[in-house]
Amino acid sequence: QAQAETGLTKVGIVNLPPEESGYRQANVEDMNTVFSKANGYDAKQTNTMDNSEQIAAAKGYIRDGVDYLLISAANASGWDDTLKSAKDAGIKVILFDRAIDTAPANYQAALLSDMAYEGKKAVEWVLGLGLPKINLILIRGQMGSAAEIGRSAAVLEAAKAGKLNIVADGTGGDSWSLEEARKVVEAAIAAGKDFNVIYAQNDGMAQGAVQALQAAGISHGKGGKVKVIGFDFNRFALRNVQAGYWDADMQCNPRQAAEISKWIKSGNIPSGVIYQEELLLTTETITDELIDKWGINADPGKGVITR
Amino acid sequence: MASANILKQKARLSNSNILFLIAAVIFVLMYLFAIISYPASFMQFQTFFDLFNLNAPLLIMTLGLCIVMIGGGIDISIGSVCGLITMACAVYLQSESGSIGGAILIALGIGIAFGILQGYLIAYLEIQPFIITLSGLFLAQGLLTTLHKDPINVTMPAFVRLRDFEFVITWLGTRNRLGVFIPCEIKPGTVLVVILLVILASLMKWSRFGRNVYAVGGNMHSALMLGVNVKRTIFITYVISGLTAGIAGFVYIMTTGAGNVGNAAGAEMKAIASAIIGGTLLNGGVGNLLGAPIGTLTLLVINELIRAAGVQSNFQAMVSGLLLYFFIVLQSIIMSLRDRKSIKLTLPPWLKLSDKQQVPSNQ
Amino acid sequence: MLSETILEMTDISKSFPGVKALDGVDFKLRKGEIHALMGENGAGKSTLIKVITGVYEKDAGLITLQGESIHFKTPEEAQNKGIGTVYQEIMLCPNLTVAENMFIGRSHTALVNWKQMNEKAAELLASLSIPASPTQELSSCSIAVQQMIAIARAVDMDCKILILDEPTSSLDEDEVHKLFALMRQLKERGVGIIFITHFLEQVYEISDMITVLRNGKLVGEYETSALSQFDLIAKMLGNELEDISKLKKHEPVASDSTTPVFECIGLSSSKGVRPFNFTIQKGEVNGFAGLLGSGRSESVRAIFAADKVTGGEVKIHGKRVKIKTPLQAIQHGIGYLPEDRKDDGIIADLSVRDNIILTLQVMKGFFKPLSLKQAQAFAQEYIEKLNIKTPTPNTPIKSLSGGNQQKVILARWLLTHPEYLILDEPTRGIDVGTKVEIQKLVLKLASEGMSLTFISSEIDEMLRTCSHLIVMKDRQIVAQLRGTELTENDVMNVIAQGGKNTCAK
Amino acid sequence: MRKVIKNVSHLVLPLSVLTLLVIINLIKGADYFYITMVNGALYGNIPNILFGASELVILSIGMTLVTAASRGQDISIGETATITSAVFVLYVLQAQEVTLLTIVIGFLLSCVAGLLLGAFNGTLVSVFKVQPMVASLILFTGGRSIAFMIDGKLSPILANDLSNKIGTVIPGVPIQTPIILTVLFIVFVAVVFKTTTLRLYVESVGINPNAARLNGINPKKIIFITFLIMGFCSAVAGFIAVNKAGRHDSVNLLKLIMMDAILAVAIGGNSLGGGKFSISGSVIGAYTIEMLNRTLLRLEIDPAMIKVFKAVFIIILMVVASPVVRLYISRTMDKIRAWRSAAGRAPIPTTRAAGKKEQ
Ligand SMILES: Nc1ncnc2c1ncn2[C@@H]1O[C@H](COP(=O)(O)OP(=O)(O)OP(=O)(O)O)[C@@H](O)[C@H]1O
Ligand SMILES: Nc1ncnc2c1ncn2[C@@H]1O[C@H](COP(=O)(O)OP(=O)(O)OP(=O)(O)O)[C@@H](O)[C@H]1O
Ligand SMILES: [Mg+2]
Ligand SMILES: [Mg+2]
């Protein structure tokens, strides 16, 4: 219907705000660029962290009569009612990045980042380092957030199985804070903890952890005592890995828009959940092309490390 | 003999009423503007009902907070307490022994417990409310993650029925994209908001306690000298705010059906903003509970306007700040014009909350 | 003759950091007695009251109410036991209505019956002819009205004991008489009344007994009829007072023909004073006379630009100047001691020293702070000059007695050596000794060339000091009286006639 | 001795809280105060605390002034700092070669931005009489997206050598640069207070704006100035923070720091209702908060429970230091003394408890 009037496909996007994280900034930007007028879309995007505001926005788009409703939900639950009324109105719902806890019949498709997979892959890397004994500092993100739960699970499981030893377990707080992460490592150093791996659940916190190591004069990175892994594929992080200043970075891919757009354009939308393939890059596997292709945010340039 | 005729009586509106009036008028104007600019969205009754349906918890919390603020205090723990309650209820409802009655008790119990703890520390040990309720915020958030940190979707059948329950107004509604008639729906939470609004507004207006809150907020020292039990009054305001946070917590889970770390996060800032926009001063003594929902609705309509206008993502926060700016400045300009007596504002008597019928002073 | 004792206090002591406010004081109040509590500023009168009503906790001593030992922890308890109190600093809630202020904290029903309350309040207001409506917000009432409301509240209580701490300080004669009539009624009913005031005539008019405090110690309890005014003063001050009648007015140093120090033409303010003209010469003392609410304060506030000036022009030494803010007024050598000490005068939490030097500091400028030593020296100087009772210059002003706070504000302005100083009710709440001191000071300053405006609710004080009286009625100047031999009658006549003629004597 | 006690009487609250924390830390391990040299700089718990708290200290100074004069709090300080540091980074990154001059100009530009933002809040509060929390709500809501736009929607990296030195150490100087900058800032503030009448004006306005106005102080101007100062403090804090991080992160830089800053002001013994204030109290309060956070880590508390412990700690500290409890303790001490001297021991002079209800 709507398509007929303007020739544009009407899309309503309900997303989290760019203020949430660097990942989200990239994600929101990606949505904006792909679902543009130039590409044949009449898209509106609402960005809010609040579940009820998200639902209100979704209902608004349903009332506006969009053709597609794209949702990255702040809360996994409470959506049933909304999704049903979308269905009743013949609107196709596609979830991206974040899952919603509901019957699969309530939405068309979901293109998600699998946080548990990310965690598993990262822990595999840690276990495969060949260290005689793994003493790991775990630096979590905001407690209870999807990323924290997924990325912590694998570590905790491995610790339970006796494959590694968590010597310090801290959090960067609700803002995934560099400073807080730094404090976690400083506290571990002050307590005389012996550790050889830092598992920080995003790049900023990994950076904070490395700052603490630097200040304490502890070696890290390629050939160093402490192995450092971060998450998210910020370009500065990848450059640090490339320079051997850090050891690895795990991807969390914010670019779902192109794929979804492809589905819409082809009129061939898969059903059910589809997970995006995500990479883990180490000092060995990293290349300029990969950084360029997959990295997010500013690139400090080859050879530049952040402290 | 001499002084009686010197002065004519000025029937001046009290600050509480004037601020409420301004908020109400600006809100109505804004809504009219919204209807004219985006009729597709705002002409529908469901849009209006959804403001309540989806935000009942915030509206309820704001009421309690408003009372605390009128008493000269502040409670920034409410959002987190509400969040904690959703998780506690979810954990309980998903457990073997879960029942809805029990969940309600848990919700109210936690809310009141927070209220009592904070109220005691603030009223009787005279510690600054900001520190205590900030600790309360930390405490609630910490207890939440300690209790359970993964999201829980409550699947208990009785609860799911409650969650999906809604009052349907069959004669009011709209047609959706496919031309199907969708009747308006009202959630139980909305009804609760109205009931609580009536109860609490009456409490503030017609009960001794309510008037004592105004007195304490206006001038704590004087209130003490006038024989008001200041400490108990302050204490009770925090208990009420804990209680409303408890109710809000239950309404929250009744709406979304899940416990989650992020539930009601940051609601305290929104509630404070709502209360202030609705005409309650942070310094205490001035405020009007009827204004509280108006404040909240104002914020929500701003959101809906931004959505309907399709503001670009990166500018949404800025635009929302800007609209807030206009609202606030407008409010302040009207206030100052009134202080300069360049405009006259009167309120119909039935709306006045703090001074009722004009009894002529017989001189 | 002496009836049954209802309240007995023995050996009461109370210290604050740095002062012993009460030191072993005994006090006795009998049924149906009006008992005046007298003493200089800072003698401990208010403290004694607050000890009774549970605002302060006593350090030592015993209080019995009708034979029963009591120990109130809050004013609420005292009120419940039938003790009604009007405190020196009016203690009401500005954001509540008049009616609410009269009934709050008193009713014990859970609900408020607005209609009934407003009716009762209206009755009470009418019976005391207080010009206020029950539904008006208290903050829109003048201090005098607020004071009346506070009294009405206390009086209306079904109390055994009524305590009035300087209730008459901002009332005019009429109101005072109404109050006295009321006190007599209550006395008939057997209520014991404690009455504090600095007006000796009032004490002699109404009281049966007098208890005198000095420096926190009991001097003695006397029957009013057996104590001459002279003796009373001697007991209060500990020495004898100079005869007030010896005070002599000074004529302005310069004659009328020279340009006045200050002149305003058609001045009006946002608070509603009608445009008025006014001049004052070098070394002249003038005064604004009029009834309560006649606009005296508003006029001087307009001169100082304390309220927003809405029209008129101002000349200083014949030169037109712009005075739109108090700062400009100060910079042009005008000083203003406000009538509302609590709201406009003191900076409650700041020390006596900072309160004294405040305006001087402002005049010196933002980048020239006085050194602590200088400030200390200034403060010390004026504490001694005005005999301000304070433990140290560092004490917060709010812990000074009311009268001493007033002296601090006076010191603040004297320190700036203004050319023209406006004193709005400087003698309110000030003890007899100091009152005389202040009047002497006013005359002395005038003789040194300062021009002053002196407003007082006691006309004789003005008559004693002013050589030019400006009579106001309904916020309008109705007459200007000049001459050194004015009498109270002249003034009253002018007010009564509405001031059709401007006479000079 | 007496004089010293008198001079710090307003610091009783923050100092006692700090002392309690030190005791807890010492119980946990006597090595708490150990300081070593690492790579030519001092290293240990104390330097870490001083380093970590730099931004908070600076912000809480501004917050103290705003609170004192306007009787309310600025909740947009983190956002202001994010915007100002974005300006700084923007300027530095466009430079061909980063010299000291570039940094200084960048810093000055960020200060200008800070003053403008402070003026924005200050105008709302002083001219439009908006309550500070609401006035600053506007920037709080929109600030980060402004910074994001300044960043060009990226998180730029500040990888030059000078920034590195500002954020860590200057070779040859044994103390980390942020600590030095903080100390310099505190000295600067002290000089401002020494050479101006700011304190007297701010306190007068905060306690009784009416009276202040009648004595020639313009309350609007003073409130406005405190917001300007707040903006300046935010700019300095943002400068330190971004150089510490080496990267501008418009999302998380100094996020939610206003809570800590307000808490620091309150722990510093200042009333959040305005009036008399103590900068030294707030500074100690800020360090106390930093220490508290680190104490929780030192006690190795499960991250899920860390906020519970933080809350319990704050509550206990505040209860112990609350006026009511202090009064109760001093009363009890008096009683014990009285009882002892009555029992015939050597008489000990009593300290009298002050009147409790008079504020
Ligand atoms: N809260 C307080 N803290 C410290 N000192 C106080 C306090 N209240 C009163 N004082 C001191 O106690 C003494 C007695 O004060 P009080 O107010 O009782 O005097 P007063 O007789 O009522 O004087 P006035 O006639 O001026 O009202 C004064 O020296 C005063 O400075
Ligand atoms: N009896 C009254 N009832 C209500 N308002 C009054 C009354 N008296 C004065 N006011 C108001 O309070 C202000 C007092 O006027 P102003 O202070 O100039 O009078 P005054 O002659 O100085 O009397 P006062 O003895 O009260 O100082 C005016 O705004 C007036 O409207
Ligand atoms: Mg007194
Ligand atoms: Mg007057």
Side-chain angles (χ1 to χ4, degrees), chain C residues 40-47 88-89 165-166 196 198 401-403 429:
Chain C
E40 283 179 284
N41 294 134
K45 305 176 295 288
S46 300
T47 306
Q88 182 175 12
E89 310 293 345
D165 192 351
E166 299 195 30
I196 299 176
H198 289 294
S401 81

Side-chain angles (χ1 to χ4, degrees), chain C residues 14 17 54-57 59 73 301 304-306 326-327 330 336 342-350 354 358-359 361-362 365-367 369 398 412-413, chain D residues 6 193-198 200-201 203-205 207-208 210-217 221-222 225 274-276 331 352-359:
Chain C
K14 170 78 198 166
V55 178
Y56 295 148
E57 221 166 303
D59 295 342
K73 288 213 174 59
R301 284 176 70 90
F304 190 70
L327 180 60
I330 293 170
Y336 165 65
K342 203 166 94 190
D343 280 358
D344 294 340
I346 63 169
I347 313 277
D349 297 313
L350 286 192
D354 286 347
L358 181 62
T359 315
Q361 183 64 76
V362 171
F366 187 71
F367 292 104
K398 68 181 174 191
R412 176 192 291 171
W413 287 108
Chain D
K6 224 174 195 168
F193 275 100
K194 200 81 199 157
T195 56
T196 68
T197 56
L198 191 63
L200 185 67
Y201 285 18
E203 288 184 346
S204 305
V205 168
I207 297 166
N208 189 342
N210 253 341
R213 194 175 64 87
L214 290 182
N215 286 293
I217 301 172
K221 211 151 112 192
I222 297 301
I225 287 175
K276 269 189 94 77
R331 285 255 168 80
R352 269 263 147 70
K356 76 165 198 238
K357 272 153 211 152
E358 197 66 0
Q359 315 138 334

Side-chain angles (χ1 to χ4, degrees), chain C residues 93-359:
Chain C
C93 293
N95 59 329
L96 300 186
T97 67
V98 169
E100 285 194 270
N101 266 296
M102 296 170 78
F103 291 99
I104 198 157
R106 288 170 50 191
S107 87
H108 291 280
T109 55
L111 295 182
V112 179
N113 184 337
W114 284 86
K115 196 162 169 227
Q116 199 189 340
M117 184 171 85
N118 283 337
E119 274 165 11
K120 269 213 289 208
E123 245 169 66
L124 200 57
L125 290 171
S127 73
L128 294 170
S129 17
I130 301 172
S133 135
T135 56
Q136 183 178 6
E137 217 171 284
L138 186 87
S139 56
S140 64
C141 299
S142 68
I143 323 181
V145 172
Q146 294 189 18
Q147 186 142 41
M148 292 293 288
I149 291 167
I151 294 171
R153 174 192 155 91
V155 163
D156 181 52
M157 269 190 274
D158 203 13
C159 54
K160 289 186 273 223
I161 297 176
L162 177 64
I163 301 174
L164 302 168
D165 192 351
E166 299 195 30
T168 54
S169 60
S170 51
L171 300 188
D172 70 7
E173 234 170 292
D174 259 350
E175 259 104 357
V176 171
H177 283 128
K178 264 183 266 163
L179 174 63
F180 283 1
L182 214 93
M183 283 165 71
R184 290 201 182 92
Q185 268 177 33
L186 291 174
K187 177 184 158 134
E188 293 295 303
R189 270 202 260 144
V191 176
I193 300 176
I194 304 175
F195 179 60
I196 299 176
T197 182
H198 289 294
F199 298 104
L200 298 186
E201 314 84 69
Q202 294 179 358
V203 172
Y204 280 93
E205 187 181 338
I206 190 99
S207 73
D208 307 310
M209 295 291 286
I210 298 177
T211 291
V212 180
L213 298 182
R214 191 169 64 228
N215 279 334
K217 293 208 180 69
L218 178 70
V219 176
E221 186 189 39
Y222 312 93
E223 256 177 74
T224 309
S225 50
L227 188 70
S228 77
Q229 200 159 12
F230 189 81
D231 286 344
L232 173 59
I233 294 174
K235 295 223 151 45
M236 279 164 59
L237 302 187
N239 56 9
E240 281 156 35
L241 187 66
E242 279 178 64
D243 194 357
I244 301 178
S245 58
K246 284 201 202 114
L247 282 179
K248 265 279 157 274
K249 272 185 265 196
H250 295 259
E251 282 301 296
V253 178
S255 73
D256 278 13
S257 58
T258 59
T259 43
V261 170
F262 177 91
E263 178 176 14
C264 67
I265 302 141
L267 197 65
S268 62
S269 81
S270 62
K271 278 284 172 66
V273 266
R274 316 263 167 87
F276 66 98
N277 302 338
F278 167 84
T279 58
I280 188 164
Q281 299 291 342
K282 189 171 162 69
E284 181 180 323
V285 182
N286 67 10
F288 283 75
L291 296 174
L292 187 81
S294 56
R296 296 167 296 180
S297 302
E298 286 180 356
S299 309
V300 290
R301 284 176 70 90
I303 293 172
F304 190 70
D307 298 327
K308 195 170 174 341
V309 176
T310 52
E313 73 181 52
V314 170
K315 287 182 186 164
I316 286 180
H317 293 303
K319 260 211 338 249
R320 261 196 80 165
V321 294
K322 209 180 83 190
I323 297 186
K324 290 285 173 208
T325 63
L327 180 60
Q328 287 168 340
I330 293 170
Q331 281 161 346
H332 284 109
I334 306 177
Y336 165 65
L337 181 131
E339 96 178 298
D340 187 342
R341 180 175 62 226
K342 203 166 94 190
D343 280 358
D344 294 340
I346 63 169
I347 313 277
D349 297 313
L350 286 192
S351 64
V352 169
R353 179 186 60 234
D354 286 347
N355 267 287
I356 290 180
I357 59 142
L358 181 62
T359 315

Side-chain angles (χ1 to χ4, degrees), chain A residues 10 76 82-83 87 135 147 159 186 230 266 291 304:
Chain A
K10 264 180 108 176
T82 316
L83 295 182
K87 205 174 176 189
N135 290 323
E186 281 174 349
S266 67
I291 296 177
V304 179

Side-chain angles (χ1 to χ4, degrees), chain B residues 262-274:
Chain B
N263 281 354
E268 59 278 345
M269 284 321 292
K270 280 186 211 151
I272 292 174
S274 305

